Coordinates of all heavy atoms in Angstrom, one line a residue:
V1365 N -73.0 60.6 56.5 CA -73.0 61.0 57.9 C -74.2 61.8 58.2 O -74.6 62.7 57.5 CB -71.7 61.9 58.1 CG1 -71.7 62.4 59.6 CG2 -70.5 61.1 57.8
G1366 N -74.9 61.4 59.3 CA -76.1 62.1 59.7 C -75.8 63.0 60.9 O -75.3 62.5 61.9
I1367 N -76.1 64.3 60.9 CA -76.0 65.2 62.0 C -77.3 65.7 62.4 O -78.3 65.7 61.6 CB -75.0 66.3 61.7 CG1 -75.6 67.2 60.6 CG2 -73.6 65.8 61.2 CD1 -74.8 68.5 60.3
A1368 N -77.4 66.2 63.7 CA -78.6 66.7 64.2 C -79.0 68.1 63.5 O -78.1 68.8 63.0 CB -78.5 66.9 65.7
Y1369 N -80.3 68.4 63.5 CA -80.8 69.6 62.8 C -80.2 70.9 63.5 O -80.1 71.9 62.9 CB -82.3 69.6 62.8 CG -82.9 68.9 61.6 CD1 -83.1 67.6 61.6 CD2 -83.1 69.7 60.4 CE1 -83.7 66.9 60.5 CE2 -83.6 69.0 59.3 CZ -83.9 67.7 59.3 OH -84.4 67.1 58.2
E1370 N -80.0 70.8 64.8 CA -79.5 72.0 65.5 C -78.0 72.3 65.3 O -77.5 73.3 65.7 CB -79.8 71.9 67.0 CG -79.1 70.7 67.7 CD -80.0 69.5 67.7 OE1 -80.9 69.4 66.9 OE2 -79.7 68.6 68.6
N1371 N -77.3 71.4 64.7 CA -75.9 71.6 64.4 C -75.6 72.5 63.2 O -76.5 72.6 62.3 CB -75.2 70.3 64.2 CG -75.2 69.4 65.5 OD1 -75.4 68.2 65.4 ND2 -75.0 70.0 66.7
V1407 N -85.6 62.3 58.3 CA -86.6 62.5 59.3 C -86.0 62.9 60.6 O -86.5 63.8 61.3 CB -87.4 61.2 59.5 CG1 -88.4 61.3 60.6 CG2 -88.1 60.8 58.2
N1408 N -84.8 62.4 60.9 CA -84.2 62.6 62.2 C -82.8 63.3 62.1 O -82.3 63.7 63.1 CB -83.9 61.3 62.9 CG -85.2 60.5 63.1 OD1 -86.2 61.0 63.5 ND2 -85.2 59.2 62.8
S1409 N -82.3 63.5 60.9 CA -81.0 64.1 60.7 C -80.8 64.7 59.4 O -81.5 64.4 58.4 CB -79.9 63.0 60.9 OG -80.0 62.0 59.9
I1410 N -79.8 65.6 59.3 CA -79.3 66.1 58.0 C -78.2 65.2 57.5 O -77.2 65.0 58.2 CB -78.8 67.5 58.2 CG1 -79.9 68.5 58.7 CG2 -78.2 68.1 56.9 CD1 -79.4 69.8 59.1
N1411 N -78.4 64.6 56.4 CA -77.5 63.6 55.9 C -76.5 64.2 54.9 O -76.8 64.8 53.9 CB -78.2 62.5 55.2 CG -79.1 61.7 56.1 OD1 -78.8 61.5 57.3 ND2 -80.3 61.3 55.6
L1443 N -67.9 64.2 67.1 CA -68.3 64.2 68.5 C -67.4 65.1 69.4 O -67.9 65.8 70.3 CB -68.4 62.8 69.1 CG -69.4 61.9 68.4 CD1 -69.3 60.5 69.0 CD2 -70.8 62.4 68.6
I1447 N -70.6 68.1 67.6 CA -71.5 67.8 66.5 C -72.2 66.5 66.9 O -71.5 65.4 67.0 CB -70.9 67.7 65.1 CG1 -70.1 69.0 64.8 CG2 -71.9 67.4 64.1 CD1 -71.0 70.2 64.7
S1448 N -73.5 66.5 67.1 CA -74.2 65.3 67.6 C -74.7 64.5 66.3 O -75.0 65.0 65.3 CB -75.4 65.6 68.5 OG -76.3 66.5 67.8
M1449 N -74.7 63.2 66.5 CA -75.1 62.3 65.4 C -76.3 61.5 66.0 O -76.1 60.4 66.6 CB -74.0 61.3 65.0 CG -72.7 62.1 64.6 SD -71.3 61.1 64.3 CE -71.8 60.2 62.8
P1450 N -77.5 62.0 65.8 CA -78.7 61.4 66.5 C -79.1 60.0 65.9 O -78.8 59.7 64.7 CB -79.8 62.4 66.2 CG -79.4 63.0 64.9 CD -77.9 63.1 65.0
A1451 N -79.6 59.2 66.8 CA -80.2 57.9 66.3 C -81.6 58.1 65.9 O -82.1 59.3 65.9 CB -80.1 56.9 67.5
N1452 N -82.2 57.1 65.4 CA -83.6 57.2 64.9 C -84.5 57.6 66.1 O -84.4 57.1 67.2 CB -84.1 55.9 64.3 CG -83.5 55.6 63.0 OD1 -83.1 56.5 62.3 ND2 -83.4 54.4 62.6
I1453 N -85.4 58.6 65.8 CA -86.3 59.0 66.9 C -87.7 58.6 66.5 O -88.1 58.9 65.3 CB -86.2 60.6 67.0 CG1 -84.8 61.0 67.4 CG2 -87.2 61.0 68.0 CD1 -84.6 62.5 67.5

Side-chain angles (χ1 to χ4, degrees):
V1365 178
I1367 64 172
Y1369 272 89
E1370 61 268 21
N1371 294 138
V1407 176
N1408 305 312
S1409 63
I1410 300 173
N1411 295 325
L1443 295 179
I1447 304 295
S1448 57
M1449 305 173 69
N1452 288 336
I1453 299 174

